């Protein structure tokens, strides 16, 4: 059985709350039957995207600090993002 192509999008440092809402609405209207879709919003929008994106679209963090929680200014740990490594 052939694997479906994967389409992924990292949002970098783009989109405000209204832009995120508009993009998620657009993505939720897509037909994803022929591919797997993964989006990676910035950490501040991660929770709202997880709550509003529809299956089968998956959500990923853009990056996380591999050292875990601690005094790492500006970093996001996997625990804070809600992911486990």
């Amino acid at each position: 059985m052939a694997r479906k192509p994967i389409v992924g999008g990292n949002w970098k440092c783009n989109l405000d709350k209204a832009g995120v809402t508009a993009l998620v609405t657009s993505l939720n209207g897509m037909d994803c039957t022929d591919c797997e879709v993964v989006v990676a919003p910035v950490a501040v929008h991660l929770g709202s995207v997880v709550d509003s994106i529809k299956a089968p679209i998956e959500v990923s963090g853009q990056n996380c600090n591999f050292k875990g929680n601690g005094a790492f200014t500006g970093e996001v740990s996997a625990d804070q993002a809600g992911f486990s490594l």
Side-chain angles (χ1 to χ4, degrees):
M1 181 166 107
R3 183 172 170 92
K4 290 182 180 181
I6 299 173
V7 178
N10 179 330
W11 298 0
K12 308 280 186 216
C13 191
N14 293 298
L15 301 178
D16 59 9
K17 187 175 180 179
V20 169
T21 300
L23 181 57
V24 168
T25 299
S26 178
L27 290 168
N28 282 339
M30 292 176 46
D31 177 6
C32 302
T33 55
D34 293 329
C35 63
E36 294 180 34
V37 178
V38 181
V39 296
V42 296
V44 296
H45 297 301
L46 197 54
S48 65
V49 173
V50 167
D51 291 344
S52 59
I53 203 82
K54 293 182 181 175
I57 300 173
E58 298 287 337
V59 180
S60 171
Q62 285 190 44
N63 63 332
C64 68
N65 179 3
F66 67 93
K67 294 183 179 182
N69 295 330
F72 307 108
T73 303
E75 296 291 335
V76 175
S77 72
D79 290 337
Q80 289 173 314
F83 297 107
S84 58
L85 297 175

